[in-house]
Amino acid sequence: MLNATGRATVKQKSRVVIIGGGFGGLTATQELRRAEVAITLIDRTNHHVFQPLLYQVATAALSPADIAAPLRATLRSQRNVRIVMEDVMTIDRQRRAVILSDETNLSFDYLIVAPGSRHFYFGKDDWETFAPGLKTLADALEIRDRLLLSFECAVQLPDTPAARKHLTYVVVGGGATGVEVAGALAEIARQAIVRDFPGIQPDDFRIILLEGEDRVLSAYPEELSDKAMQFLKELGVTVHLKTRVTDVTRDGVYAGKTLLETANVIWAAGNQASPLLRTLNVPLDAQRRVIVRPDLTIPEESRVFVIGDAACAYDARRHPLPGLAPVAMQQARYVARVIAQSIPQERRKPFVYRDWGSMTTIGRAKAIAQIGTLRFAGVTAWLLWSFVHIFFLIGFRNRLRVMSEWIWYYFTSKPGAQLIYWKVRKAPSSQPEKHTAA
Amino acid sequence: MLNATGRATVKQKSRVVIIGGGFGGLTATQELRRAEVAITLIDRTNHHVFQPLLYQVATAALSPADIAAPLRATLRSQRNVRIVMEDVMTIDRQRRAVILSDETNLSFDYLIVAPGSRHFYFGKDDWETFAPGLKTLADALEIRDRLLLSFECAVQLPDTPAARKHLTYVVVGGGATGVEVAGALAEIARQAIVRDFPGIQPDDFRIILLEGEDRVLSAYPEELSDKAMQFLKELGVTVHLKTRVTDVTRDGVYAGKTLLETANVIWAAGNQASPLLRTLNVPLDAQRRVIVRPDLTIPEESRVFVIGDAACAYDARRHPLPGLAPVAMQQARYVARVIAQSIPQERRKPFVYRDWGSMTTIGRAKAIAQIGTLRFAGVTAWLLWSFVHIFFLIGFRNRLRVMSEWIWYYFTSKPGAQLIYWKVRKAPSSQPEKHTAA
């Protein structure tokens, strides 16, 4: 824009547009807080979600407000950012603009694309109706409503096939999310639910975890996968390895030709990056992620960066980096530095991911962790996991809330968030059969 | 049912069916905990809501889990109750049975009907789309989503008519709910929202309270109504008295022929008891409540009781009792005693409501209260109000949660629950006009 009065003397601030308020987008925004730039942060929701604990909302252990923080509140004191709550429709590289769903155009000098990913049903999108995934607060609340309704249905039909269907839970995918969901379900079902639903016995529950590979948590060393298997077994979770889902219907999940009858399927198997990335017109990998260059830019652009779950970046051994919060956050810091210091492309050092380790929890007081060459399993890993997750939560209040919920739950086994918000219209399959109690 | 083995010797327990898990139904259930009866408690949700604080969820000050408790958790240790989460379709007096939406029949020896009320639009049901009421958690979350979205829309369109429409809030009804909502809105808007939405000034907000009578809170003495008016004025709420709403549309609220342009209407004007009551085939009053006898039974039945918002009961001066939690709870205790002691109708003393007083809060540190002949206004009343509301909350955890939220908010003015769960599809009227930020 021409600015007759100031243009010659005052340097126009660089316009940085950031798409997505997840770990990548939010960290990039915060890292640029002292930079001489004008940031626009776009998200379709008004909050940042601490995704690693989302499964605890889905399993009724935590409330949404415990693990989410409004972006505006989090960024309240940062003066150089404008927040726009809207969907992004297109990225127009030619015009160097982002086009929102209300047709607003946002021009940029720098663009950070961090829209994350959604669950992917291997092209069978109709499975989603019966097998919701877990990426947003709305997803988590949907799963929570379904689970709690399922118990309500089962308790009205003791010892019927319909009740057994309602008390069978199939989790598809043996990665971190799948293992955490299955573990939390087993725990909540056998410890908390049984007390509240007279007539349901701990052994009435069946929790089944399906994994296509020959072990769960294949990102970890085999020794820790074995430990995780053992913990799952102790919790009563049945794990089927080398098992591929062929269909998901109203009746349940087909593993090969076997039907696992269930009213509750949770999808933790596949991810696909945001469809927005297609509008960049650059090569994508199998998960539809942008194959970025060593400085996290896209081909032919030195000022368009893709980070987090939306990016396919490689480590030193040419392995793609995993879709984890620490990867997104380190990438965000790298990109923020490049922008703040206006480093020209030819002088940028490649992004290097520093792996501090990873950890996964499987029920109360059970977790596995790997930190460098150190490996932990059991209570130590769980304490470590609890500490790290509380530490990295956004906001002092959320930390306090989650910590007190966990301490409470640890000592009482009473989960804190068993509310059904929206009475889900019961599908025909889950309708209790007619019976007369009189 | 015939029971050949035990019937002659063991007295069959009385079957008590209770419809509704609000203050009336839950209290009746709990009061019967030691009685030799088999209780079935039916509710369409799985939780009890502490309705007096629902407006704080709607205005993003509290989270749903702070003021609601799962019925199963609350009644966990009570052995003589079965909980059914279902809608009641009909009460069949002839067959002495309650028929649920899944066509289950529940026979009863005693029936306590406590389904509460919904908001009433004076026959104009299409107003509900634009003017949601506030009775359930789902209502409160719907209003919260709309409010927060409205700020998001306004901030994108500074100084336009659309922004002004989004920053105008019309509350219809100057009773306790209306005054509390208006006060809370004024406070949250001017203190918290303004800090998070750069470009919105405190004076950009217009909060309008419409009341048909010549004063707000007409259940209180005039002196306290005047105090409440003064508090509302201090908070910047404009009150229009003797004003009747003639229409509610996409554009706003018509008061007489004047259009108050707004995208945010909250309905706190009229109540109507549950339509279920019609199936009793007994006389109803103008609000469709059952006109009960002095022992809270319905005509011609000595074992069918109606309590709470669903009942029109009279005090000694033949005034109908107000729709308040203490009324419902005292009625519940009275009915529970009649049932537990199997008091025949001719020996029942009439129900007498013991009025301990009432109180209404208007923003932080402002409230009015009346206890017998004592009248309070200001900080004392507010401390009293806070104490009483925390004391009567269901459950130790909820008390702790609400108290800590309030203390936090008192000192920081940062409300704790500004999350939009479901991205509400924006109505055409609230769509920001197209503009180019580039």
Side-chain angles (χ1 to χ4, degrees):
Chain A
M1 203 186 286
L2 273 173
N3 182 339
T5 51
R7 205 183 186 211
T9 49
V10 180
K11 192 181 149 221
Q12 188 110 21
K13 277 186 194 169
S14 287
R15 292 161 304 179
V16 180
V17 169
I18 301 176
I19 301 174
F23 285 108
L26 181 58
T27 306
T29 306
Q30 290 177 316
E31 291 289 315
L32 285 167
R33 64 189 172 281
R34 287 194 207 88
E36 281 288 309
V37 293
I39 307 167
T40 306
L41 174 62
I42 311 165
D43 197 288
R44 61 153 63 97
T45 74
N46 78 333
H47 49 265
H48 168 80
V49 177
F50 191 75
Q51 275 200 8
L53 292 181
L54 203 51
Y55 78 96
Q56 297 217 349
V57 175
T59 52
L62 292 177
S63 285
D66 298 338
I67 63 152
L71 289 168
R72 291 188 187 279
T74 305
L75 298 169
R76 187 177 284 147
S77 57
Q78 190 169 333
R79 291 273 157 242
N80 63 353
V81 61
R82 186 167 79 96
I83 297 167
V84 176
M85 184 184 157
E86 198 64 68
D87 279 308
V88 177
M89 301 309 286
T90 318
I91 299 166
D92 187 337
R93 282 172 57 191
Q94 235 89 59
R95 292 165 59 202
R96 313 191 67 70
V98 162
I99 296 147
L100 307 184
S101 59
D102 64 357
E103 296 178 36
T104 307
N105 283 285
L106 293 173
S107 295
F108 59 81
D109 300 307
Y110 289 97
L111 176 65
I112 304 176
V113 184
S117 61
R118 285 291 292 171
H119 22 274
F120 179 54
Y121 296 88
F122 309 123
K124 308 288 177 73
D125 289 349
D126 52 316
W127 294 0
E128 183 162 19
T129 319
F130 309 107
L134 189 56
K135 289 281 180 194
T136 66
L137 274 189
D139 292 342
L141 290 174
E142 165 84 24
I143 290 177
R144 190 175 81 178
D145 273 7
R146 287 189 191 207
L147 288 180
L148 295 173
L149 274 172
S150 211
F151 300 134
E152 296 287 346
C153 288
V155 79
Q156 288 188 52
L157 312 159
D159 298 320
T160 60
R164 279 189 288 280
K165 194 173 158 185
H166 279 297
L167 295 176
T168 302
Y169 301 85
V170 176
V171 180
V172 184
T177 305
V179 167
E180 289 183 329
V181 166
L185 266 179
E187 187 137 295
I188 287 225
R190 277 156 216 262
Q191 306 234 351
I193 300 302
V194 161
R195 285 193 301 200
D196 287 348
F197 291 81
I200 300 183
Q201 304 300 324
D203 289 343
D204 295 343
F205 286 103
R206 284 174 69 207
I207 295 155
I208 300 165
L209 181 65
L210 304 181
E211 167 58 44
E213 304 295 315
D214 61 356
R215 60 188 178 105
V216 296
L217 298 173
S218 53
Y220 286 88
E222 252 179 76
E223 165 197 350
L224 288 181
S225 291
D226 293 346
K227 266 286 180 198
M229 280 291 274
Q230 182 199 317
F231 290 151
L232 286 169
K233 204 177 160 189
E234 283 168 22
L235 283 166
V237 176
T238 311
V239 183
H240 292 296
L241 298 173
K242 296 188 213 164
T243 302
R244 296 206 178 267
V245 169
T246 50
D247 202 3
V248 182
T249 71
R250 189 178 297 283
D251 301 321
V253 175
Y254 286 85
K257 287 190 177 166
T258 315
L259 169 64
L260 299 167
E261 272 192 272
T262 174
N264 304 283
V265 187
I266 294 165
W267 192 262
N271 278 328
Q272 189 172 62
S274 166
L276 173 68
L277 300 171
R278 268 178 257 150
T279 68
L280 281 169
N281 292 317
V282 291
L284 307 178
D285 75 353
Q287 289 176 48
R288 314 280 167 87
R289 297 179 298 187
V290 172
I291 301 164
V292 292
R293 292 184 292 179
D295 65 347
L296 307 176
T297 53
I298 63 173
E300 293 169 42
E301 299 279 354
S302 65
R303 293 178 162 206
V304 177
F305 304 86
V306 183
I307 62 175
D309 287 4
C312 174
Y314 293 99
D315 66 13
R317 290 171 304 160
R318 293 293 299 162
H319 290 150
L321 294 173
L324 295 173
V327 174
M329 290 167 82
Q330 290 181 30
Q331 290 177 330
R333 278 186 215 111
Y334 170 91
V335 172
R337 199 165 46 238
V338 165
I339 294 174
Q341 300 174 8
S342 315
I343 306 177
Q345 190 158 34
E346 60 279 10
R347 288 209 281 123
R348 294 175 196 165
K349 287 185 194 142
F351 167 74
V352 178
Y353 171 54
R354 173 79 202 261
D355 185 359
W356 293 97
S358 39
M359 41 185 67
T360 298
T361 186
I362 308 123
R364 181 170 51 174
K366 293 189 180 70
I368 60 166
Q370 182 186 25
I371 297 167
T373 53
L374 297 174
R375 291 163 192 188
F376 304 89
V379 180
T380 320
W382 180 75
L383 284 171
L384 208 63
W385 176 90
S386 305
F387 177 76
V388 165
H389 281 75
I390 285 174
F391 183 80
F392 277 105
L393 260 175
I394 301 288
F396 172 70
R397 285 175 96 182
N398 286 357
R399 282 181 206 130
L400 218 61
R401 278 173 167 165
V402 170
M403 201 163 61
S404 54
E405 289 291 328
W406 283 349
I407 292 172
W408 176 275
Y409 179 67
Y410 187 85
F411 287 107
T412 67
S413 292
K414 292 180 189 168
Q418 292 186 46
L419 302 175
I420 301 177
Y421 289 162
W422 312 88
K423 185 168 180 178
V424 181
R425 199 152 191 83
K426 290 177 196 165
S429 74
S430 58
Q431 188 100 37
E433 269 114 64
K434 291 159 195 172
H435 70 131
T436 305
Chain B
M1 206 185 285
L2 273 175
N3 182 338
T5 52
R7 209 188 182 207
T9 50
V10 179
K11 195 184 148 218
Q12 188 109 26
K13 277 186 192 168
S14 287
R15 293 161 301 178
V16 180
V17 170
I18 300 175
I19 301 174
F23 285 108
L26 181 58
T27 305
T29 305
Q30 290 177 315
E31 290 288 315
L32 285 168
R33 65 188 171 280
R34 287 195 206 88
E36 281 289 309
V37 293
I39 307 168
T40 306
L41 175 62
I42 311 164
D43 199 288
R44 61 155 59 99
T45 74
N46 77 334
H47 49 264
H48 169 80
V49 177
F50 191 75
Q51 275 201 7
L53 293 181
L54 203 51
Y55 78 95
Q56 296 215 350
V57 175
T59 52
L62 292 177
S63 285
D66 298 339
I67 63 151
L71 288 169
R72 292 188 187 278
T74 305
L75 298 169
R76 187 177 285 148
S77 57
Q78 189 168 335
R79 291 273 157 241
N80 63 352
V81 62
R82 187 167 78 96
I83 297 168
V84 176
M85 185 183 157
E86 198 63 70
D87 279 308
V88 177
M89 301 309 285
T90 319
I91 299 167
D92 188 335
R93 281 172 58 191
Q94 235 89 57
R95 291 167 57 203
R96 310 192 69 72
V98 161
I99 296 147
L100 307 184
S101 59
D102 64 358
E103 296 179 34
T104 306
N105 283 285
L106 292 173
S107 295
F108 59 80
D109 299 308
Y110 289 98
L111 177 65
I112 304 176
V113 184
S117 61
R118 287 291 292 172
H119 23 273
F120 179 55
Y121 295 89
F122 309 122
K124 308 288 177 72
D125 290 348
D126 53 311
W127 294 0
E128 183 161 20
T129 318
F130 310 108
L134 188 55
K135 288 280 180 192
T136 66
L137 275 189
D139 292 342
L141 291 173
E142 164 83 26
I143 290 176
R144 189 175 82 178
D145 274 6
R146 287 190 190 205
L147 289 179
L148 296 173
L149 274 172
S150 209
F151 301 134
E152 297 288 345
C153 289
V155 80
Q156 289 190 51
L157 313 157
D159 298 321
T160 60
R164 277 189 289 280
K165 196 173 157 186
H166 279 296
L167 296 176
T168 302
Y169 301 85
V170 176
V171 180
V172 184
T177 305
V179 167
E180 289 183 329
V181 167
L185 267 178
E187 187 138 294
I188 287 222
R190 278 156 216 262
Q191 306 233 350
I193 300 302
V194 161
R195 285 193 301 201
D196 288 346
F197 291 81
I200 300 185
Q201 304 301 322
D203 290 342
D204 294 342
F205 286 104
R206 283 174 70 207
I207 294 155
I208 301 166
L209 180 65
L210 305 181
E211 165 57 42
E213 304 296 314
D214 60 357
R215 61 189 176 105
V216 296
L217 298 174
S218 53
Y220 286 88
E222 253 180 77
E223 164 195 350
L224 289 180
S225 290
D226 292 347
K227 265 289 179 196
M229 280 291 275
Q230 182 198 319
F231 290 150
L232 286 168
K233 204 176 161 189
E234 283 169 24
L235 283 166
V237 176
T238 312
V239 182
H240 292 297
L241 298 173
K242 295 189 215 165
T243 303
R244 296 204 178 268
V245 169
T246 50
D247 203 1
V248 183
T249 71
R250 190 177 297 283
D251 301 323
V253 175
Y254 285 86
K257 287 191 175 165
T258 317
L259 169 64
L260 300 166
E261 273 192 89
T262 174
N264 304 282
V265 187
I266 294 165
W267 192 261
N271 279 328
Q272 189 172 62
S274 165
L276 174 67
L277 300 171
R278 268 179 257 150
T279 68
L280 283 170
N281 292 315
V282 292
L284 307 177
D285 75 351
Q287 290 176 48
R288 311 280 167 88
R289 298 180 297 189
V290 172
I291 301 165
V292 292
R293 291 186 292 178
D295 65 347
L296 307 176
T297 54
I298 64 172
E300 293 168 43
E301 300 278 356
S302 64
R303 294 177 159 205
V304 177
F305 304 86
V306 183
I307 62 175
D309 286 6
C312 173
Y314 293 100
D315 66 12
R317 291 171 303 161
R318 295 292 299 163
H319 290 148
L321 294 174
L324 295 173
V327 174
M329 291 166 82
Q330 290 181 29
Q331 290 177 331
R333 277 186 216 112
Y334 170 89
V335 171
R337 200 165 44 236
V338 166
I339 294 174
Q341 302 175 6
S342 315
I343 306 177
Q345 189 158 34
E346 60 279 9
R347 288 206 284 123
R348 294 175 194 163
K349 286 183 194 144
F351 168 75
V352 178
Y353 171 55
R354 174 79 201 259
D355 185 358
W356 292 98
S358 39
M359 40 186 65
T360 299
T361 186
I362 308 121
R364 181 168 52 175
K366 292 189 182 73
I368 61 165
Q370 182 188 25
I371 296 167
T373 53
L374 298 174
R375 292 164 190 187
F376 304 89
V379 180
T380 320
W382 180 74
L383 284 171
L384 208 61
W385 177 90
S386 306
F387 176 77
V388 165
H389 280 74
I390 285 174
F391 183 80
F392 278 105
L393 260 174
I394 301 286
F396 172 70
R397 285 176 96 182
N398 285 357
R399 284 184 203 127
L400 217 63
R401 277 173 167 166
V402 170
M403 201 163 61
S404 55
E405 289 292 328
W406 283 351
I407 292 171
W408 176 275
Y409 179 67
Y410 187 85
F411 288 107
T412 66
S413 293
K414 292 180 189 167
Q418 292 186 47
L419 304 175
I420 301 177
Y421 289 163
W422 313 86
K423 185 165 180 179
V424 180
R425 200 152 190 81
K426 289 176 195 166
S429 74
S430 58
Q431 188 101 38
E433 267 114 66
K434 293 159 195 174
H435 70 130
T436 304

